Amino acid sequence: MSIPTDLSPGLGSLLALRFDPLVWLPVLAAAGWYGWRFAQSRRTPEGRARWPAWKAVLFGLGVALLILATQSAATNLTLNSMALYMGRLMVLAEVVPPLLILGLPRGVQIDPRRPLGRMLGVLLDPWVALAVWSAVIIFWNIPAGFNASVVTNTAGALLPSLYLLSSLLVWGVVLRPLPSVQPAGIGSRGWFGLLAALPMMAVAAVWLYSRQVLYTPYVGALCLWNLTPLENQQISGWIMMVAGVPALGLAFIQLMAWLIELTDGDARPPAAKG
């Protein structure tokens, strides 16, 4: 394990960017395509209404945070700060995906009978998204899975990618940006949001209340900012729990809206028979 020269790095040092073409090139290509299509939409009033400027701002913010979470100097300090590592993962799981999805234009129409529509219909199926998300959260956070990812150096690139991709599926179900291939109503999305929050909250609770360091690579680690490995683990639990609160709150809001909708439907008088 390499020892960093500065065990109390500032924000500027942590956010200093590096260049990995395998990350930068696809991200810039996707952002460029998005910008080109957005500029085209601004030519007509219908396009401007369907794709307002605030959506482009959210998408651009999501791309910027994606780059910072994967291409900053903080990525070199995984073994020296579990809390910093978990903060990066939570940005990729709970901040970047909703920003990117909310940045999509309204009314995107995809034929559910075509290959792309069928594929998206499967990936955005609530049970598929929940299974993928739960597998990532549970397997890679049990000691055996996490230890293996750190020892084999897959924690640096593979795990952040899995968090991002699986969370895109979850947020895609919750926010429903493609209604033509997502028939789920607001009630089922609310229940889904609650179920999807459980694995992450369970892992966070274990980290918070454990009296010992659960992951072997961190037992004797030289941690940043003079934190002990156990303090790092507990802070990671707080980071994961706080990061999951907005999604949990949205799930409750969707469930309340569903219940209000049901109540209003029951309260309506029956239609008069002609």
Side-chain angles (χ1 to χ4, degrees):
M1 179 181 67
S2 61
I3 300 176
T5 56
D6 184 7
L7 290 176
S8 298
L11 185 62
S13 299
L14 293 175
L15 298 182
L17 295 179
R18 62 189 179 90
F19 181 77
D20 181 354
L22 295 178
V23 175
W24 279 91
L25 294 181
V27 170
L28 291 179
W33 181 83
Y34 178 95
W36 172 63
R37 294 302 302 269
F38 173 74
Q40 283 188 321
S41 73
R42 309 301 291 173
R43 297 175 182 175
T44 63
E46 295 80 6
R48 290 192 292 272
R50 192 172 68 91
W51 209 336
W54 63 265
K55 283 185 169 289
V57 172
L58 292 182
F59 189 89
L61 180 59
V63 170
L65 290 174
L66 170 60
I67 289 295
L68 286 176
T70 60
Q71 296 298 289
S72 63
T75 60
N76 300 322
L77 301 171
T78 296
L79 284 176
N80 301 103
S81 179
M82 180 180 173
L84 180 62
Y85 180 49
M86 193 50 53
R88 288 175 46 230
L89 291 181
M90 289 300 100
V91 169
L92 291 172
E94 300 297 329
V95 182
V96 172
L99 289 176
L100 296 180
I101 291 172
L102 289 172
L104 296 177
R106 301 187 183 104
V108 177
Q109 294 297 320
I110 297 177
D111 190 344
R113 296 168 297 181
R114 292 185 175 274
L116 177 60
R118 290 198 296 269
M119 181 183 70
L120 289 174
V122 172
L123 291 176
L124 295 175
D125 179 271
W127 293 111
V128 173
L130 182 61
V132 173
W133 170 248
S134 299
V136 170
I137 291 295
I138 294 173
F139 177 77
W140 263 276
N141 284 297
I142 60 175
F146 194 95
N147 292 344
S149 69
V150 173
V151 171
T152 59
N153 204 30
T154 57
L158 177 61
L159 191 52
S161 300
L162 290 173
Y163 264 75
L164 175 63
L165 295 175
S166 59
S167 187
L168 278 171
L169 298 182
V170 170
W171 281 101
V173 173
V174 171
L175 297 176
R176 195 170 172 252
L178 305 173
S180 59
V181 295
Q182 294 179 273
I186 192 169
S188 60
R189 286 151 56 202
W191 285 114
F192 169 84
L194 286 179
L195 290 175
L198 292 179
M200 201 166 76
M201 291 299 180
V203 170
V206 170
W207 290 349
L208 277 172
Y209 296 110
S210 176
R211 296 179 179 272
Q212 61 183 5
V213 180
L214 300 174
Y215 305 112
T216 304
Y218 288 106
V219 170
L222 188 62
C223 300
L224 301 183
W225 305 298
N226 295 320
L227 295 173
T228 67
L230 184 58
E231 288 172 336
N232 249 305
Q233 182 173 280
Q234 292 168 339
I235 293 172
S236 299
W238 278 115
I239 290 172
M240 180 176 275
M241 190 165 286
V242 171
V245 168
L248 197 59
L250 178 58
F252 278 113
I253 291 172
Q254 289 178 326
L255 282 175
M256 289 300 297
W258 173 62
L259 291 174
I260 292 171
E261 184 180 294
L262 288 179
T263 303
D264 289 345
D266 292 340
R268 291 194 192 106
K273 295 183 179 179

